[in-house]
Amino acid sequence: IQISREYGQKYFDGDRKFGYGGYYYDGRWKKIAKKIKTHYQLKKNSKVLDIGCAKGFLIKDLVEIGIDAYGVDISRYAIKNSPTEIAGRIHCQNAVNLPFHDNSFDLVLCINTLHNFNKKDCSKALKEINRISKKHSFIQVDSYRNSKEKKIFLDWVLTARYHDYTKKWVEFFKKNKYKGDWYWTIIEE
């Protein structure tokens, strides 16, 4: 867990026990980029921010379909190892204090990142997502629906600091006035 939370070479490209076990571009985000563009009715040059973008593979695929996409991540290793064609689009930044003006982006994404903060910083990050989004946002967080799933999750988790049952997450979103869409990452047998 300690090594994984450094978000360095071992997390992204080291042994699987530390994280990804090798995170390289394989085109898996292409279909998702197209679905994002369609679902959120993004136009050519719509501005999108991916918070916790890792090596920026989704950004690459969004840019290829005409979206003006950017990313932030805390991993200098991931940014350094991002595709050369998106150089300058990813910045080393923490999501609790984003350097963007209010309503800067047509869509703000935060996929499997928010739960890596403690609860207090999750609240701050949600408020930042609301602040910089003109209209749309989407987050995905680690969660579980029952005690069996929670046990599986606790045996698996490497980086999440705040996690909860789906119903508790929904309460948390409402308490923090989060106005966007959400989904869960649930580990099942």
Side-chain angles (χ1 to χ4, degrees):
I1 291 173
Q2 182 180 349
I3 290 170
S4 298
R5 287 181 176 166
E6 292 173 7
Y7 302 104
Q9 184 275 333
K10 287 184 180 179
Y11 176 71
F12 286 101
D13 295 318
D15 190 281
R16 179 71 174 109
K17 69 182 178 183
F18 297 118
Y20 285 99
Y23 190 49
Y24 54 90
Y25 183 79
D26 60 7
R28 75 180 77 179
W29 291 100
K30 285 183 179 283
K31 287 182 183 178
I32 295 166
K34 289 176 184 173
K35 286 180 180 181
I36 288 169
K37 183 178 180 181
T38 301
H39 180 79
Y40 289 104
Q41 301 175 351
L42 300 174
K43 309 283 188 243
K44 186 175 174 74
N45 295 320
S46 289
K47 284 185 76 174
V48 173
L49 179 68
D50 184 3
I51 297 171
C53 66
K55 292 183 181 180
F57 300 147
L58 177 57
I59 295 165
K60 175 187 179 317
D61 291 340
L62 286 166
V63 168
E64 285 182 2
I65 60 172
I67 303 301
D68 189 18
Y70 299 88
V72 294
D73 202 281
I74 62 164
S75 173
R76 293 190 190 285
Y77 175 83
I79 295 167
K80 182 180 174 186
N81 289 279
S82 64
T84 56
E85 56 267 45
I86 58 168
R89 289 185 172 272
I90 304 175
H91 303 282
C92 193
Q93 186 66 46
N94 187 312
V96 300
N97 187 16
L98 294 165
F100 305 109
H101 296 291
D102 295 359
N103 304 310
S104 293
F105 295 93
D106 299 296
L107 171 64
V108 178
L109 303 167
C110 188
I111 302 170
N112 293 330
T113 298
L114 188 69
H115 51 244
N116 293 331
F117 292 107
N118 62 38
K119 190 173 182 179
K120 181 180 175 184
D121 285 344
C122 278
S123 291
K124 290 178 183 178
L126 282 175
K127 289 173 182 148
E128 283 292 273
I129 290 168
N130 279 341
R131 182 184 68 76
I132 65 171
S133 171
K134 289 180 190 176
K135 186 175 181 182
H136 300 291
S137 57
F138 173 85
I139 59 176
Q140 184 166 335
V141 293
D142 285 346
S143 192
Y144 28 84
R145 297 167 291 205
N146 54 55
S147 58
K148 182 180 177 185
E149 288 176 355
K150 182 177 181 179
K151 182 184 180 329
I152 293 167
F153 172 79
L154 292 173
D155 288 342
W156 169 85
V157 67
L158 289 173
T159 58
R161 294 177 190 270
Y162 176 64
H163 46 86
D164 214 330
Y165 290 94
T166 55
K167 289 179 183 179
K168 292 289 189 179
W169 269 115
V170 173
E171 291 172 13
F172 184 74
F173 297 153
K174 287 179 182 176
K175 179 181 177 187
N176 286 281
K177 298 180 174 69
Y178 174 67
K179 58 187 178 183
D181 299 324
W182 64 79
Y183 198 66
W184 322 114
T185 298
I186 295 177
I187 308 302
E188 300 175 286
E189 283 186 311

Short mmCIF file of all heavy atoms in Angstrom, two decimals, residues 60-112:
data_model
loop_
_atom_site.label_atom_id
_atom_site.label_comp_id
_atom_site.label_asym_id
_atom_site.label_seq_id
_atom_site.Cartn_x
_atom_site.Cartn_y
_atom_site.Cartn_z
N LYS A 60 -5.66 11.37 -24.78
CA LYS A 60 -5.18 11.11 -26.14
C LYS A 60 -6.34 10.75 -27.05
O LYS A 60 -6.48 11.30 -28.15
CB LYS A 60 -4.14 9.99 -26.12
CG LYS A 60 -3.65 9.55 -27.48
CD LYS A 60 -2.77 8.31 -27.35
CE LYS A 60 -2.23 7.77 -28.64
NZ LYS A 60 -3.12 7.70 -29.76
N ASP A 61 -7.19 9.84 -26.59
CA ASP A 61 -8.30 9.38 -27.43
C ASP A 61 -9.38 10.44 -27.59
O ASP A 61 -10.03 10.51 -28.63
CB ASP A 61 -8.86 8.07 -26.90
CG ASP A 61 -7.87 6.92 -27.08
OD1 ASP A 61 -6.95 7.03 -27.92
OD2 ASP A 61 -8.01 5.90 -26.37
N LEU A 62 -9.59 11.28 -26.60
CA LEU A 62 -10.53 12.39 -26.73
C LEU A 62 -10.01 13.42 -27.73
O LEU A 62 -10.76 13.91 -28.58
CB LEU A 62 -10.79 13.05 -25.37
CG LEU A 62 -11.68 12.28 -24.40
CD1 LEU A 62 -11.59 12.85 -22.99
CD2 LEU A 62 -13.13 12.26 -24.88
N VAL A 63 -8.73 13.75 -27.63
CA VAL A 63 -8.13 14.71 -28.57
C VAL A 63 -8.25 14.19 -30.00
O VAL A 63 -8.56 14.96 -30.93
CB VAL A 63 -6.65 14.99 -28.18
CG1 VAL A 63 -5.93 15.74 -29.29
CG2 VAL A 63 -6.59 15.77 -26.87
N GLU A 64 -8.04 12.91 -30.20
CA GLU A 64 -8.12 12.32 -31.54
C GLU A 64 -9.50 12.45 -32.17
O GLU A 64 -9.63 12.42 -33.39
CB GLU A 64 -7.70 10.86 -31.52
CG GLU A 64 -6.20 10.69 -31.39
CD GLU A 64 -5.76 9.23 -31.40
OE1 GLU A 64 -6.60 8.31 -31.54
OE2 GLU A 64 -4.53 9.00 -31.27
N ILE A 65 -10.56 12.60 -31.35
CA ILE A 65 -11.90 12.77 -31.91
C ILE A 65 -12.38 14.22 -31.81
O ILE A 65 -13.56 14.51 -31.89
CB ILE A 65 -12.92 11.79 -31.27
CG1 ILE A 65 -13.03 11.99 -29.75
CG2 ILE A 65 -12.58 10.35 -31.62
CD1 ILE A 65 -14.16 11.19 -29.10
N GLY A 66 -11.43 15.15 -31.65
CA GLY A 66 -11.73 16.57 -31.75
C GLY A 66 -12.06 17.28 -30.45
O GLY A 66 -12.47 18.44 -30.47
N ILE A 67 -11.89 16.62 -29.33
CA ILE A 67 -12.18 17.25 -28.03
C ILE A 67 -10.90 17.92 -27.51
O ILE A 67 -9.82 17.38 -27.62
CB ILE A 67 -12.68 16.19 -27.02
CG1 ILE A 67 -13.91 15.45 -27.56
CG2 ILE A 67 -12.95 16.81 -25.66
CD1 ILE A 67 -15.09 16.33 -27.87
N ASP A 68 -11.06 19.10 -26.94
CA ASP A 68 -9.94 19.85 -26.36
C ASP A 68 -9.75 19.35 -24.93
O ASP A 68 -10.27 19.95 -23.98
CB ASP A 68 -10.26 21.34 -26.41
CG ASP A 68 -9.09 22.22 -26.04
OD1 ASP A 68 -7.93 21.73 -26.09
OD2 ASP A 68 -9.33 23.39 -25.70
N ALA A 69 -9.04 18.24 -24.76
CA ALA A 69 -8.94 17.55 -23.47
C ALA A 69 -7.62 17.82 -22.77
O ALA A 69 -6.56 17.90 -23.41
CB ALA A 69 -9.13 16.05 -23.68
N TYR A 70 -7.71 17.89 -21.44
CA TYR A 70 -6.56 18.13 -20.57
C TYR A 70 -6.66 17.21 -19.36
O TYR A 70 -7.71 16.62 -19.10
CB TYR A 70 -6.53 19.59 -20.10
CG TYR A 70 -6.42 20.56 -21.23
CD1 TYR A 70 -7.56 21.03 -21.87
CD2 TYR A 70 -5.17 20.96 -21.69
CE1 TYR A 70 -7.47 21.89 -22.94
CE2 TYR A 70 -5.07 21.83 -22.77
CZ TYR A 70 -6.21 22.29 -23.40
OH TYR A 70 -6.11 23.14 -24.46
N GLY A 71 -5.57 17.11 -18.63
CA GLY A 71 -5.59 16.27 -17.45
C GLY A 71 -4.70 16.80 -16.35
O GLY A 71 -3.78 17.58 -16.60
N VAL A 72 -5.01 16.37 -15.14
CA VAL A 72 -4.15 16.61 -13.99
C VAL A 72 -3.94 15.28 -13.28
O VAL A 72 -4.81 14.42 -13.27
CB VAL A 72 -4.74 17.66 -13.01
CG1 VAL A 72 -4.83 19.02 -13.66
CG2 VAL A 72 -6.08 17.23 -12.46
N ASP A 73 -2.75 15.13 -12.73
CA ASP A 73 -2.42 13.94 -11.96
C ASP A 73 -1.31 14.32 -10.99
O ASP A 73 -0.54 15.26 -11.25
CB ASP A 73 -1.97 12.79 -12.86
CG ASP A 73 -2.13 11.44 -12.18
OD1 ASP A 73 -1.27 11.08 -11.35
OD2 ASP A 73 -3.13 10.75 -12.46
N ILE A 74 -1.21 13.59 -9.89
CA ILE A 74 -0.15 13.88 -8.92
C ILE A 74 1.12 13.10 -9.22
O ILE A 74 2.15 13.35 -8.61
CB ILE A 74 -0.60 13.60 -7.48
CG1 ILE A 74 -0.96 12.14 -7.28
CG2 ILE A 74 -1.74 14.53 -7.08
CD1 ILE A 74 -1.05 11.73 -5.83
N SER A 75 1.07 12.19 -10.18
CA SER A 75 2.23 11.36 -10.49
C SER A 75 3.11 11.98 -11.57
O SER A 75 2.74 12.01 -12.75
CB SER A 75 1.79 9.97 -10.94
OG SER A 75 2.90 9.22 -11.39
N ARG A 76 4.27 12.43 -11.17
CA ARG A 76 5.23 12.93 -12.16
C ARG A 76 5.67 11.81 -13.08
O ARG A 76 5.92 12.03 -14.26
CB ARG A 76 6.43 13.57 -11.44
CG ARG A 76 6.06 14.83 -10.68
CD ARG A 76 7.27 15.59 -10.17
NE ARG A 76 6.89 16.65 -9.26
CZ ARG A 76 6.35 17.81 -9.63
NH1 ARG A 76 6.11 18.05 -10.88
NH2 ARG A 76 6.05 18.72 -8.72
N TYR A 77 5.76 10.59 -12.54
CA TYR A 77 6.14 9.44 -13.37
C TYR A 77 5.11 9.22 -14.49
O TYR A 77 5.48 9.04 -15.65
CB TYR A 77 6.25 8.16 -12.52
CG TYR A 77 6.50 6.94 -13.36
CD1 TYR A 77 7.79 6.61 -13.77
CD2 TYR A 77 5.46 6.13 -13.79
CE1 TYR A 77 8.03 5.52 -14.59
CE2 TYR A 77 5.68 5.04 -14.60
CZ TYR A 77 6.97 4.73 -15.01
OH TYR A 77 7.20 3.65 -15.82
N ALA A 78 3.83 9.24 -14.14
CA ALA A 78 2.78 9.03 -15.15
C ALA A 78 2.83 10.12 -16.22
O ALA A 78 2.75 9.83 -17.41
CB ALA A 78 1.41 8.98 -14.49
N ILE A 79 2.97 11.36 -15.79
CA ILE A 79 3.00 12.47 -16.74
C ILE A 79 4.21 12.34 -17.66
O ILE A 79 4.10 12.51 -18.88
CB ILE A 79 2.99 13.82 -15.99
CG1 ILE A 79 1.67 13.99 -15.24
CG2 ILE A 79 3.24 14.98 -16.95
CD1 ILE A 79 1.65 15.11 -14.22
N LYS A 80 5.36 12.03 -17.09
CA LYS A 80 6.59 11.87 -17.88
C LYS A 80 6.45 10.74 -18.89
O LYS A 80 7.05 10.78 -19.97
CB LYS A 80 7.76 11.59 -16.94
CG LYS A 80 9.10 11.45 -17.63
CD LYS A 80 10.19 11.17 -16.61
CE LYS A 80 11.50 10.89 -17.34
NZ LYS A 80 12.56 10.48 -16.42
N ASN A 81 5.63 9.74 -18.59
CA ASN A 81 5.46 8.58 -19.46
C ASN A 81 4.15 8.60 -20.23
O ASN A 81 3.67 7.54 -20.67
CB ASN A 81 5.59 7.30 -18.62
CG ASN A 81 7.02 7.09 -18.18
OD1 ASN A 81 7.85 6.60 -18.93
ND2 ASN A 81 7.33 7.52 -16.96
N SER A 82 3.59 9.77 -20.42
CA SER A 82 2.37 9.91 -21.21
C SER A 82 2.73 9.99 -22.70
O SER A 82 3.88 10.27 -23.06
CB SER A 82 1.59 11.15 -20.77
OG SER A 82 2.34 12.31 -21.04
N PRO A 83 1.76 9.75 -23.59
CA PRO A 83 2.04 9.81 -25.03
C PRO A 83 2.57 11.18 -25.45
O PRO A 83 2.06 12.22 -24.99
CB PRO A 83 0.67 9.54 -25.67
CG PRO A 83 -0.09 8.78 -24.63
CD PRO A 83 0.39 9.35 -23.32
N THR A 84 3.57 11.19 -26.30
CA THR A 84 4.18 12.46 -26.73
C THR A 84 3.19 13.39 -27.44
O THR A 84 3.33 14.61 -27.34
CB THR A 84 5.38 12.20 -27.67
OG1 THR A 84 4.94 11.41 -28.77
CG2 THR A 84 6.50 11.48 -26.94
N GLU A 85 2.19 12.82 -28.11
CA GLU A 85 1.25 13.67 -28.85
C GLU A 85 0.33 14.49 -27.95
O GLU A 85 -0.37 15.38 -28.43
CB GLU A 85 0.43 12.87 -29.87
CG GLU A 85 -0.34 11.71 -29.32
CD GLU A 85 0.40 10.38 -29.37
OE1 GLU A 85 1.59 10.32 -29.01
OE2 GLU A 85 -0.23 9.39 -29.75
N ILE A 86 0.33 14.23 -26.63
CA ILE A 86 -0.47 15.07 -25.72
C ILE A 86 0.43 15.85 -24.77
O ILE A 86 -0.03 16.35 -23.74
CB ILE A 86 -1.53 14.25 -24.95
CG1 ILE A 86 -0.90 13.12 -24.13
CG2 ILE A 86 -2.60 13.74 -25.90
CD1 ILE A 86 -1.85 12.48 -23.14
N ALA A 87 1.67 16.00 -25.13
CA ALA A 87 2.61 16.78 -24.31
C ALA A 87 2.04 18.18 -24.07
O ALA A 87 1.50 18.80 -24.98
CB ALA A 87 3.96 16.87 -25.01
N GLY A 88 2.12 18.64 -22.84
CA GLY A 88 1.61 19.96 -22.49
C GLY A 88 0.14 19.96 -22.09
O GLY A 88 -0.37 20.98 -21.63
N ARG A 89 -0.54 18.84 -22.23
CA ARG A 89 -1.96 18.76 -21.87
C ARG A 89 -2.18 18.19 -20.48
O ARG A 89 -3.29 18.24 -19.97
CB ARG A 89 -2.73 17.92 -22.89
CG ARG A 89 -2.87 18.61 -24.23
CD ARG A 89 -3.74 17.81 -25.18
NE ARG A 89 -4.01 18.57 -26.39
CZ ARG A 89 -5.03 19.42 -26.53
NH1 ARG A 89 -5.88 19.60 -25.55
NH2 ARG A 89 -5.20 20.07 -27.66
N ILE A 90 -1.14 17.63 -19.86
CA ILE A 90 -1.26 17.06 -18.53
C ILE A 90 -0.35 17.83 -17.57
O ILE A 90 0.81 18.08 -17.89
CB ILE A 90 -0.87 15.57 -18.51
CG1 ILE A 90 -1.70 14.76 -19.51
CG2 ILE A 90 -1.04 15.00 -17.11
CD1 ILE A 90 -1.27 13.31 -19.62
N HIS A 91 -0.90 18.16 -16.41
CA HIS A 91 -0.14 18.92 -15.44
C HIS A 91 -0.17 18.22 -14.08
O HIS A 91 -1.16 17.58 -13.72
CB HIS A 91 -0.69 20.33 -15.33
CG HIS A 91 -0.68 21.03 -16.64
ND1 HIS A 91 0.45 21.58 -17.18
CD2 HIS A 91 -1.66 21.21 -17.56
CE1 HIS A 91 0.17 22.10 -18.37
NE2 HIS A 91 -1.11 21.88 -18.62
N CYS A 92 0.90 18.38 -13.34
CA CYS A 92 1.01 17.80 -12.01
C CYS A 92 0.23 18.69 -11.05
O CYS A 92 0.63 19.83 -10.81
CB CYS A 92 2.47 17.67 -11.60
SG CYS A 92 2.70 16.65 -10.15
N GLN A 93 -0.89 18.16 -10.56
CA GLN A 93 -1.78 18.97 -9.74
C GLN A 93 -2.64 18.08 -8.86
O GLN A 93 -3.06 17.02 -9.28
CB GLN A 93 -2.67 19.82 -10.66
CG GLN A 93 -3.54 20.81 -9.95
CD GLN A 93 -2.74 21.89 -9.27
OE1 GLN A 93 -1.82 22.45 -9.85
NE2 GLN A 93 -3.08 22.19 -8.03
N ASN A 94 -2.93 18.56 -7.68
CA ASN A 94 -3.83 17.89 -6.74
C ASN A 94 -5.25 18.41 -6.96
O ASN A 94 -5.44 19.62 -7.15
CB ASN A 94 -3.35 18.19 -5.32
CG ASN A 94 -4.08 17.43 -4.27
OD1 ASN A 94 -5.30 17.38 -4.26
ND2 ASN A 94 -3.34 16.82 -3.37
N ALA A 95 -6.24 17.55 -6.87
CA ALA A 95 -7.63 17.91 -7.17
C ALA A 95 -8.33 18.74 -6.10
O ALA A 95 -9.43 19.22 -6.33
CB ALA A 95 -8.45 16.65 -7.43
N VAL A 96 -7.71 18.95 -4.96
CA VAL A 96 -8.38 19.72 -3.91
C VAL A 96 -8.23 21.22 -4.08
O VAL A 96 -8.91 22.00 -3.41
CB VAL A 96 -7.93 19.30 -2.48
CG1 VAL A 96 -8.22 17.84 -2.22
CG2 VAL A 96 -6.47 19.60 -2.25
N ASN A 97 -7.36 21.65 -5.00
CA ASN A 97 -7.16 23.08 -5.26
C ASN A 97 -6.72 23.22 -6.71
O ASN A 97 -5.53 23.33 -6.99
CB ASN A 97 -6.13 23.66 -4.30
CG ASN A 97 -6.02 25.15 -4.41
OD1 ASN A 97 -6.88 25.80 -4.98
ND2 ASN A 97 -4.95 25.70 -3.86
N LEU A 98 -7.69 23.24 -7.60
CA LEU A 98 -7.38 23.25 -9.03
C LEU A 98 -7.16 24.68 -9.55
O LEU A 98 -7.91 25.59 -9.19
CB LEU A 98 -8.50 22.56 -9.81
CG LEU A 98 -8.62 21.06 -9.51
CD1 LEU A 98 -9.95 20.51 -10.01
CD2 LEU A 98 -7.45 20.31 -10.14
N PRO A 99 -6.15 24.86 -10.41
CA PRO A 99 -5.79 26.20 -10.88
C PRO A 99 -6.59 26.66 -12.10
O PRO A 99 -6.05 27.23 -13.04
CB PRO A 99 -4.31 26.03 -11.24
CG PRO A 99 -4.25 24.64 -11.76
CD PRO A 99 -5.21 23.86 -10.90
N PHE A 100 -7.90 26.43 -12.09
CA PHE A 100 -8.74 26.80 -13.22
C PHE A 100 -9.84 27.75 -12.77
O PHE A 100 -10.30 27.69 -11.63
CB PHE A 100 -9.37 25.54 -13.85
CG PHE A 100 -8.36 24.50 -14.26
CD1 PHE A 100 -8.24 23.32 -13.54
CD2 PHE A 100 -7.51 24.71 -15.33
CE1 PHE A 100 -7.31 22.36 -13.89
CE2 PHE A 100 -6.57 23.76 -15.69
CZ PHE A 100 -6.47 22.58 -14.97
N HIS A 101 -10.26 28.60 -13.67
CA HIS A 101 -11.35 29.53 -13.39
C HIS A 101 -12.67 28.77 -13.25
O HIS A 101 -12.81 27.66 -13.75
CB HIS A 101 -11.47 30.57 -14.51
CG HIS A 101 -10.28 31.46 -14.64
ND1 HIS A 101 -9.96 32.41 -13.69
CD2 HIS A 101 -9.33 31.54 -15.59
CE1 HIS A 101 -8.86 33.03 -14.05
NE2 HIS A 101 -8.44 32.53 -15.20
N ASP A 102 -13.62 29.39 -12.60
CA ASP A 102 -14.97 28.83 -12.51
C ASP A 102 -15.49 28.56 -13.92
O ASP A 102 -15.22 29.34 -14.85
CB ASP A 102 -15.91 29.82 -11.82
CG ASP A 102 -15.55 30.07 -10.36
OD1 ASP A 102 -14.58 29.47 -9.86
OD2 ASP A 102 -16.25 30.87 -9.72
N ASN A 103 -16.24 27.49 -14.06
CA ASN A 103 -16.90 27.14 -15.33
C ASN A 103 -15.93 27.05 -16.50
O ASN A 103 -16.25 27.46 -17.62
CB ASN A 103 -18.00 28.15 -15.64
CG ASN A 103 -19.00 28.26 -14.52
OD1 ASN A 103 -19.50 27.26 -14.04
ND2 ASN A 103 -19.27 29.48 -14.08
N SER A 104 -14.75 26.47 -16.28
CA SER A 104 -13.73 26.38 -17.33
C SER A 104 -13.95 25.22 -18.31
O SER A 104 -13.47 25.28 -19.43
CB SER A 104 -12.35 26.18 -16.70
OG SER A 104 -11.95 27.32 -15.99
N PHE A 105 -14.67 24.18 -17.88
CA PHE A 105 -14.75 22.96 -18.69
C PHE A 105 -16.19 22.55 -18.96
O PHE A 105 -17.05 22.65 -18.09
CB PHE A 105 -14.01 21.82 -18.00
CG PHE A 105 -12.54 22.07 -17.87
CD1 PHE A 105 -12.03 22.67 -16.72
CD2 PHE A 105 -11.67 21.75 -18.89
CE1 PHE A 105 -10.67 22.92 -16.60
CE2 PHE A 105 -10.31 22.02 -18.79
CZ PHE A 105 -9.81 22.61 -17.64
N ASP A 106 -16.41 22.06 -20.18
CA ASP A 106 -17.72 21.53 -20.55
C ASP A 106 -18.01 20.22 -19.81
O ASP A 106 -19.16 19.89 -19.55
CB ASP A 106 -17.79 21.30 -22.06
CG ASP A 106 -17.60 22.59 -22.82
OD1 ASP A 106 -18.45 23.48 -22.68
OD2 ASP A 106 -16.59 22.73 -23.54
N LEU A 107 -16.94 19.48 -19.50
CA LEU A 107 -17.07 18.22 -18.78
C LEU A 107 -15.82 18.02 -17.92
O LEU A 107 -14.70 18.22 -18.39
CB LEU A 107 -17.20 17.04 -19.77
CG LEU A 107 -17.13 15.63 -19.19
CD1 LEU A 107 -18.30 15.35 -18.25
CD2 LEU A 107 -17.09 14.60 -20.32
N VAL A 108 -16.04 17.60 -16.67
CA VAL A 108 -14.94 17.25 -15.77
C VAL A 108 -15.12 15.78 -15.40
O VAL A 108 -16.19 15.38 -14.92
CB VAL A 108 -14.92 18.12 -14.50
CG1 VAL A 108 -13.80 17.68 -13.58
CG2 VAL A 108 -14.77 19.59 -14.88
N LEU A 109 -14.08 14.99 -15.64
CA LEU A 109 -14.08 13.56 -15.32
C LEU A 109 -13.16 13.32 -14.13
O LEU A 109 -12.12 13.96 -14.01
CB LEU A 109 -13.55 12.75 -16.51
CG LEU A 109 -14.28 12.92 -17.84
CD1 LEU A 109 -13.45 12.32 -18.96
CD2 LEU A 109 -15.64 12.27 -17.76
N CYS A 110 -13.53 12.36 -13.30
CA CYS A 110 -12.68 11.96 -12.18
C CYS A 110 -12.95 10.46 -11.96
O CYS A 110 -13.80 10.08 -11.17
CB CYS A 110 -13.00 12.79 -10.94
SG CYS A 110 -11.86 12.51 -9.58
N ILE A 111 -12.22 9.64 -12.70
CA ILE A 111 -12.47 8.20 -12.73
C ILE A 111 -11.48 7.47 -11.82
O ILE A 111 -10.28 7.50 -12.07
CB ILE A 111 -12.39 7.68 -14.18
CG1 ILE A 111 -13.41 8.42 -15.06
CG2 ILE A 111 -12.61 6.17 -14.22
CD1 ILE A 111 -13.26 8.18 -16.55
N ASN A 112 -12.01 6.85 -10.79
CA ASN A 112 -11.21 6.06 -9.84
C ASN A 112 -10.06 6.86 -9.23
O ASN A 112 -8.95 6.34 -9.10
CB ASN A 112 -10.71 4.77 -10.50
CG ASN A 112 -11.85 3.83 -10.81
OD1 ASN A 112 -12.85 3.82 -10.11
ND2 ASN A 112 -11.72 3.05 -11.84
#
